[in-house]
Amino acid sequence: MYFDFVEKVVFEGANSTNPLAFKYYDADRIVLGKPMKEHLPFAMAWWHNLCAEGSDMFGRGTADKSFGETPATMAHAKAKVDAGFEFMTKLGIEYFCFHDVDLVPESEDINETNARLDEITDYILEKMKETGIKCLWGTANMFSNPRFMNGAGSTNSAEVYCFAAAQIKKALDLTVKLGGRGYVFWGGREGYESLLNTDVKFEEENIARLMKMAVNYGRSIGFDGDFFIEPKPKEPMKHQYDFDAATSIGFLRKYGLDKDFKMNIEANHATLAGHSFQHELRVSAANGMLGSIDANQGDLLLGWDTDEFPFNVYETTMCMYEVLKAGGMKNGGFNFDAKNRRPSNTAEDMVYGFILGMDTFALGLLKAAAIIEDGRVDAFIADRYASFGEGIGAKIVSGEATLEELAAHAAELGKCSTPGSGRQEMLQSVVNSILFGETK
Ligand code: XUL
Ligand code: CO
């Protein structure tokens, strides 16, 4: 037992002052016809929760994640599994996400690493059977090992490319073994620092070839979930190819990968790209590609990926509004790709981080449902485009209109009427009143 200070984190309601209780996340509460836990399939990110010790560029870690064993041993890898399952069970988290090398210490020899991965996933499978906890998605870490310094799919070295392929193949095997519903490509080093040494066209083609091979292999071993691209504009590279959702969707379509892939949208990556979280979700949903979410929050005053636990209810409300409008996520979930701040270095802080994140998303869900039930925002949007529901507008939408016909229509009118107010401030007031209601 690593988290022996808590038996189980339970829902106590908004008035509770117990820091180890949920204030808003009430797993079985029905919202818009289904329980909160089905709207919000939360996942624990193995890397942040069980591996990251809070080191940064200026200093070593502050949190002890040894879980009673010597780091970089298989005993430690197993202790992480024990701690992780205890943590998820106590918080009611039903899924986890992993990179290959989060699970075991990486050896110099990939064959040895793979043998360790086989051993640890046998152990994880046992724990999954005991607890009912499931795997949301798996991925291969193709950015930490020095061999990936010039990229993985975008590397200049055919040998490195083969190691990337080998890691993807193994990570897909493990994802299928653990019943994962998704497989993620986050292109950490798939980008460039300087165009003076980079063949962009070639690198993008090579990334697409690797993804195609992954799809073919995944399908051949029975993986019927979704492949996800997780867009991010920069960091670690100056420029990353999967800049944002629109760029990634264009890339997938160009290479015929759009039927197998969807987006895994991370809040902090959206803001790094100069977009809102909601924008990235909307663009994905509008293209039928809203797949999964990396649930965190950035700091707009900083230009890097701070991966904070989300506390901004306005943001999660708008996120959940998009998710509800898109009809939920099929194979996706809400993966807390988030870490405690460096000075929050105790086991209690790990639990507080998840309570904060889960409560913030639960509140967002409740408020988004309230916006939808209130109906004013949706009615305004529907009405805003009403001129395309009849007459010449309907003809435009049906695709039958010609440019000449529309020009003739304009000529007949002579003067154009105003298109109607956008009413932004009124709508923002509506949202505020739904969010905050009456105050004491
Ligand atoms: C990095 C990031 C990754 C991916 C998985 O910014 O978000 O942890 O989620 O590789
Ligand atoms: Co992420």
Side-chain angles (χ1 to χ4, degrees), residues 276-298:
S276 66
F277 184 21
Q278 186 180 10
H279 167 93
E280 287 293 84
L281 296 166
R282 179 72 65 92
V283 169
S284 305
N287 287 283
M289 288 200 199
L290 175 52
S292 199
I293 285 175
D294 266 13
N296 64 11
Q297 187 183 309

PDB file of all heavy atoms in Angstrom, residues 276-298:
ATOM      1  N   SER A 276      -7.550  28.000 -28.974  1.00  0.00           N
ATOM      2  CA  SER A 276      -8.157  27.568 -27.712  1.00  0.00           C
ATOM      3  C   SER A 276      -8.320  26.049 -27.778  1.00  0.00           C
ATOM      4  O   SER A 276      -8.337  25.457 -28.869  1.00  0.00           O
ATOM      5  CB  SER A 276      -9.513  28.243 -27.494  1.00  0.00           C
ATOM      6  OG  SER A 276     -10.427  27.801 -28.476  1.00  0.00           O
ATOM      7  N   PHE A 277      -8.467  25.448 -26.610  1.00  0.00           N
ATOM      8  CA  PHE A 277      -8.739  24.012 -26.512  1.00  0.00           C
ATOM      9  C   PHE A 277     -10.014  23.724 -27.315  1.00  0.00           C
ATOM     10  O   PHE A 277     -10.077  22.791 -28.119  1.00  0.00           O
ATOM     11  CB  PHE A 277      -8.932  23.712 -25.023  1.00  0.00           C
ATOM     12  CG  PHE A 277      -9.139  22.283 -24.620  1.00  0.00           C
ATOM     13  CD1 PHE A 277      -8.758  21.207 -25.410  1.00  0.00           C
ATOM     14  CD2 PHE A 277      -9.719  22.008 -23.364  1.00  0.00           C
ATOM     15  CE1 PHE A 277      -8.951  19.896 -24.985  1.00  0.00           C
ATOM     16  CE2 PHE A 277      -9.908  20.714 -22.933  1.00  0.00           C
ATOM     17  CZ  PHE A 277      -9.537  19.662 -23.743  1.00  0.00           C
ATOM     18  N   GLN A 278     -11.012  24.574 -27.112  1.00  0.00           N
ATOM     19  CA  GLN A 278     -12.302  24.375 -27.790  1.00  0.00           C
ATOM     20  C   GLN A 278     -12.148  24.417 -29.310  1.00  0.00           C
ATOM     21  O   GLN A 278     -12.774  23.636 -30.023  1.00  0.00           O
ATOM     22  CB  GLN A 278     -13.309  25.439 -27.337  1.00  0.00           C
ATOM     23  CG  GLN A 278     -14.701  25.189 -27.883  1.00  0.00           C
ATOM     24  CD  GLN A 278     -15.715  26.242 -27.448  1.00  0.00           C
ATOM     25  OE1 GLN A 278     -15.352  27.270 -26.875  1.00  0.00           O
ATOM     26  NE2 GLN A 278     -16.978  25.983 -27.727  1.00  0.00           N
ATOM     27  N   HIS A 279     -11.292  25.303 -29.801  1.00  0.00           N
ATOM     28  CA  HIS A 279     -11.080  25.393 -31.249  1.00  0.00           C
ATOM     29  C   HIS A 279     -10.582  24.057 -31.807  1.00  0.00           C
ATOM     30  O   HIS A 279     -11.087  23.557 -32.812  1.00  0.00           O
ATOM     31  CB  HIS A 279     -10.055  26.495 -31.563  1.00  0.00           C
ATOM     32  CG  HIS A 279      -9.549  26.467 -32.979  1.00  0.00           C
ATOM     33  ND1 HIS A 279     -10.108  27.206 -33.997  1.00  0.00           N
ATOM     34  CD2 HIS A 279      -8.551  25.750 -33.570  1.00  0.00           C
ATOM     35  CE1 HIS A 279      -9.480  26.958 -35.128  1.00  0.00           C
ATOM     36  NE2 HIS A 279      -8.529  26.074 -34.902  1.00  0.00           N
ATOM     37  N   GLU A 280      -9.589  23.486 -31.146  1.00  0.00           N
ATOM     38  CA  GLU A 280      -9.019  22.227 -31.628  1.00  0.00           C
ATOM     39  C   GLU A 280     -10.054  21.095 -31.599  1.00  0.00           C
ATOM     40  O   GLU A 280     -10.083  20.232 -32.488  1.00  0.00           O
ATOM     41  CB  GLU A 280      -7.783  21.846 -30.806  1.00  0.00           C
ATOM     42  CG  GLU A 280      -6.566  22.705 -31.104  1.00  0.00           C
ATOM     43  CD  GLU A 280      -6.047  22.474 -32.522  1.00  0.00           C
ATOM     44  OE1 GLU A 280      -6.585  23.109 -33.457  1.00  0.00           O
ATOM     45  OE2 GLU A 280      -5.119  21.672 -32.696  1.00  0.00           O
ATOM     46  N   LEU A 281     -10.898  21.121 -30.561  1.00  0.00           N
ATOM     47  CA  LEU A 281     -11.938  20.091 -30.471  1.00  0.00           C
ATOM     48  C   LEU A 281     -12.972  20.297 -31.571  1.00  0.00           C
ATOM     49  O   LEU A 281     -13.425  19.340 -32.208  1.00  0.00           O
ATOM     50  CB  LEU A 281     -12.614  20.149 -29.094  1.00  0.00           C
ATOM     51  CG  LEU A 281     -11.696  19.838 -27.905  1.00  0.00           C
ATOM     52  CD1 LEU A 281     -12.359  20.252 -26.597  1.00  0.00           C
ATOM     53  CD2 LEU A 281     -11.327  18.355 -27.874  1.00  0.00           C
ATOM     54  N   ARG A 282     -13.322  21.557 -31.814  1.00  0.00           N
ATOM     55  CA  ARG A 282     -14.341  21.850 -32.836  1.00  0.00           C
ATOM     56  C   ARG A 282     -13.843  21.454 -34.234  1.00  0.00           C
ATOM     57  O   ARG A 282     -14.575  20.848 -35.014  1.00  0.00           O
ATOM     58  CB  ARG A 282     -14.703  23.335 -32.798  1.00  0.00           C
ATOM     59  CG  ARG A 282     -15.740  23.774 -33.834  1.00  0.00           C
ATOM     60  CD  ARG A 282     -17.135  23.283 -33.533  1.00  0.00           C
ATOM     61  NE  ARG A 282     -17.700  23.839 -32.315  1.00  0.00           N
ATOM     62  CZ  ARG A 282     -18.450  24.948 -32.236  1.00  0.00           C
ATOM     63  NH1 ARG A 282     -18.738  25.616 -33.336  1.00  0.00           N
ATOM     64  NH2 ARG A 282     -18.910  25.383 -31.082  1.00  0.00           N
ATOM     65  N   VAL A 283     -12.589  21.805 -34.540  1.00  0.00           N
ATOM     66  CA  VAL A 283     -12.035  21.459 -35.855  1.00  0.00           C
ATOM     67  C   VAL A 283     -12.008  19.941 -36.034  1.00  0.00           C
ATOM     68  O   VAL A 283     -12.373  19.415 -37.097  1.00  0.00           O
ATOM     69  CB  VAL A 283     -10.621  22.070 -36.044  1.00  0.00           C
ATOM     70  CG1 VAL A 283      -9.922  21.495 -37.269  1.00  0.00           C
ATOM     71  CG2 VAL A 283     -10.696  23.590 -36.136  1.00  0.00           C
ATOM     72  N   SER A 284     -11.627  19.229 -34.988  1.00  0.00           N
ATOM     73  CA  SER A 284     -11.599  17.758 -35.068  1.00  0.00           C
ATOM     74  C   SER A 284     -13.007  17.214 -35.269  1.00  0.00           C
ATOM     75  O   SER A 284     -13.241  16.370 -36.147  1.00  0.00           O
ATOM     76  CB  SER A 284     -11.008  17.154 -33.787  1.00  0.00           C
ATOM     77  OG  SER A 284      -9.741  17.695 -33.526  1.00  0.00           O
ATOM     78  N   ALA A 285     -13.945  17.694 -34.465  1.00  0.00           N
ATOM     79  CA  ALA A 285     -15.321  17.185 -34.540  1.00  0.00           C
ATOM     80  C   ALA A 285     -15.943  17.510 -35.900  1.00  0.00           C
ATOM     81  O   ALA A 285     -16.636  16.673 -36.486  1.00  0.00           O
ATOM     82  CB  ALA A 285     -16.157  17.767 -33.410  1.00  0.00           C
ATOM     83  N   ALA A 286     -15.667  18.707 -36.393  1.00  0.00           N
ATOM     84  CA  ALA A 286     -16.250  19.113 -37.680  1.00  0.00           C
ATOM     85  C   ALA A 286     -15.779  18.198 -38.812  1.00  0.00           C
ATOM     86  O   ALA A 286     -16.438  18.071 -39.843  1.00  0.00           O
ATOM     87  CB  ALA A 286     -15.887  20.564 -37.989  1.00  0.00           C
ATOM     88  N   ASN A 287     -14.636  17.565 -38.604  1.00  0.00           N
ATOM     89  CA  ASN A 287     -14.103  16.639 -39.605  1.00  0.00           C
ATOM     90  C   ASN A 287     -14.325  15.178 -39.228  1.00  0.00           C
ATOM     91  O   ASN A 287     -13.707  14.277 -39.813  1.00  0.00           O
ATOM     92  CB  ASN A 287     -12.600  16.904 -39.791  1.00  0.00           C
ATOM     93  CG  ASN A 287     -12.363  18.199 -40.549  1.00  0.00           C
ATOM     94  OD1 ASN A 287     -12.514  18.246 -41.767  1.00  0.00           O
ATOM     95  ND2 ASN A 287     -12.047  19.264 -39.834  1.00  0.00           N
ATOM     96  N   GLY A 288     -15.181  14.956 -38.249  1.00  0.00           N
ATOM     97  CA  GLY A 288     -15.464  13.582 -37.809  1.00  0.00           C
ATOM     98  C   GLY A 288     -14.262  12.908 -37.181  1.00  0.00           C
ATOM     99  O   GLY A 288     -14.124  11.686 -37.221  1.00  0.00           O
ATOM    100  N   MET A 289     -13.343  13.682 -36.625  1.00  0.00           N
ATOM    101  CA  MET A 289     -12.090  13.092 -36.127  1.00  0.00           C
ATOM    102  C   MET A 289     -11.787  13.428 -34.678  1.00  0.00           C
ATOM    103  O   MET A 289     -10.623  13.427 -34.269  1.00  0.00           O
ATOM    104  CB  MET A 289     -10.929  13.544 -37.012  1.00  0.00           C
ATOM    105  CG  MET A 289     -10.935  12.904 -38.369  1.00  0.00           C
ATOM    106  SD  MET A 289      -9.305  13.016 -39.090  1.00  0.00           S
ATOM    107  CE  MET A 289      -9.714  12.745 -40.790  1.00  0.00           C
ATOM    108  N   LEU A 290     -12.820  13.697 -33.896  1.00  0.00           N
ATOM    109  CA  LEU A 290     -12.571  13.911 -32.467  1.00  0.00           C
ATOM    110  C   LEU A 290     -12.443  12.541 -31.808  1.00  0.00           C
ATOM    111  O   LEU A 290     -13.432  11.832 -31.628  1.00  0.00           O
ATOM    112  CB  LEU A 290     -13.711  14.731 -31.830  1.00  0.00           C
ATOM    113  CG  LEU A 290     -13.624  14.916 -30.308  1.00  0.00           C
ATOM    114  CD1 LEU A 290     -12.264  15.461 -29.897  1.00  0.00           C
ATOM    115  CD2 LEU A 290     -14.711  15.855 -29.832  1.00  0.00           C
ATOM    116  N   GLY A 291     -11.213  12.173 -31.484  1.00  0.00           N
ATOM    117  CA  GLY A 291     -10.982  10.804 -31.022  1.00  0.00           C
ATOM    118  C   GLY A 291     -10.830  10.669 -29.528  1.00  0.00           C
ATOM    119  O   GLY A 291     -11.467   9.834 -28.901  1.00  0.00           O
ATOM    120  N   SER A 292      -9.945  11.486 -28.940  1.00  0.00           N
ATOM    121  CA  SER A 292      -9.650  11.352 -27.521  1.00  0.00           C
ATOM    122  C   SER A 292      -9.078  12.675 -27.029  1.00  0.00           C
ATOM    123  O   SER A 292      -8.790  13.572 -27.836  1.00  0.00           O
ATOM    124  CB  SER A 292      -8.652  10.206 -27.311  1.00  0.00           C
ATOM    125  OG  SER A 292      -8.682   9.762 -25.976  1.00  0.00           O
ATOM    126  N   ILE A 293      -8.928  12.774 -25.708  1.00  0.00           N
ATOM    127  CA  ILE A 293      -8.483  14.043 -25.122  1.00  0.00           C
ATOM    128  C   ILE A 293      -7.372  13.804 -24.113  1.00  0.00           C
ATOM    129  O   ILE A 293      -7.470  12.888 -23.286  1.00  0.00           O
ATOM    130  CB  ILE A 293      -9.686  14.764 -24.457  1.00  0.00           C
ATOM    131  CG1 ILE A 293     -10.582  15.360 -25.555  1.00  0.00           C
ATOM    132  CG2 ILE A 293      -9.226  15.841 -23.481  1.00  0.00           C
ATOM    133  CD1 ILE A 293     -11.862  15.991 -25.048  1.00  0.00           C
ATOM    134  N   ASP A 294      -6.303  14.620 -24.212  1.00  0.00           N
ATOM    135  CA  ASP A 294      -5.313  14.654 -23.143  1.00  0.00           C
ATOM    136  C   ASP A 294      -5.693  15.824 -22.251  1.00  0.00           C
ATOM    137  O   ASP A 294      -5.544  17.000 -22.616  1.00  0.00           O
ATOM    138  CB  ASP A 294      -3.886  14.784 -23.697  1.00  0.00           C
ATOM    139  CG  ASP A 294      -3.236  13.419 -23.861  1.00  0.00           C
ATOM    140  OD1 ASP A 294      -3.963  12.401 -23.777  1.00  0.00           O
ATOM    141  OD2 ASP A 294      -2.000  13.356 -24.069  1.00  0.00           O
ATOM    142  N   ALA A 295      -6.263  15.474 -21.110  1.00  0.00           N
ATOM    143  CA  ALA A 295      -6.914  16.441 -20.238  1.00  0.00           C
ATOM    144  C   ALA A 295      -5.896  17.113 -19.332  1.00  0.00           C
ATOM    145  O   ALA A 295      -5.474  16.537 -18.331  1.00  0.00           O
ATOM    146  CB  ALA A 295      -7.983  15.721 -19.413  1.00  0.00           C
ATOM    147  N   ASN A 296      -5.492  18.311 -19.713  1.00  0.00           N
ATOM    148  CA  ASN A 296      -4.602  19.079 -18.844  1.00  0.00           C
ATOM    149  C   ASN A 296      -4.858  20.557 -19.087  1.00  0.00           C
ATOM    150  O   ASN A 296      -5.873  20.931 -19.689  1.00  0.00           O
ATOM    151  CB  ASN A 296      -3.136  18.693 -19.079  1.00  0.00           C
ATOM    152  CG  ASN A 296      -2.636  19.025 -20.474  1.00  0.00           C
ATOM    153  OD1 ASN A 296      -3.301  19.729 -21.242  1.00  0.00           O
ATOM    154  ND2 ASN A 296      -1.477  18.514 -20.816  1.00  0.00           N
ATOM    155  N   GLN A 297      -3.965  21.381 -18.640  1.00  0.00           N
ATOM    156  CA  GLN A 297      -4.122  22.817 -18.805  1.00  0.00           C
ATOM    157  C   GLN A 297      -2.739  23.441 -18.846  1.00  0.00           C
ATOM    158  O   GLN A 297      -1.851  23.006 -18.113  1.00  0.00           O
ATOM    159  CB  GLN A 297      -4.913  23.356 -17.609  1.00  0.00           C
ATOM    160  CG  GLN A 297      -5.314  24.806 -17.712  1.00  0.00           C
ATOM    161  CD  GLN A 297      -6.029  25.244 -16.437  1.00  0.00           C
ATOM    162  OE1 GLN A 297      -6.963  24.607 -15.977  1.00  0.00           O
ATOM    163  NE2 GLN A 297      -5.573  26.345 -15.850  1.00  0.00           N
ATOM    164  N   GLY A 298      -2.565  24.441 -19.707  1.00  0.00           N
ATOM    165  CA  GLY A 298      -1.289  25.150 -19.755  1.00  0.00           C
ATOM    166  C   GLY A 298      -1.375  26.445 -18.984  1.00  0.00           C
ATOM    167  O   GLY A 298      -2.365  26.724 -18.312  1.00  0.00           O
TER     168      GLY A 298
END
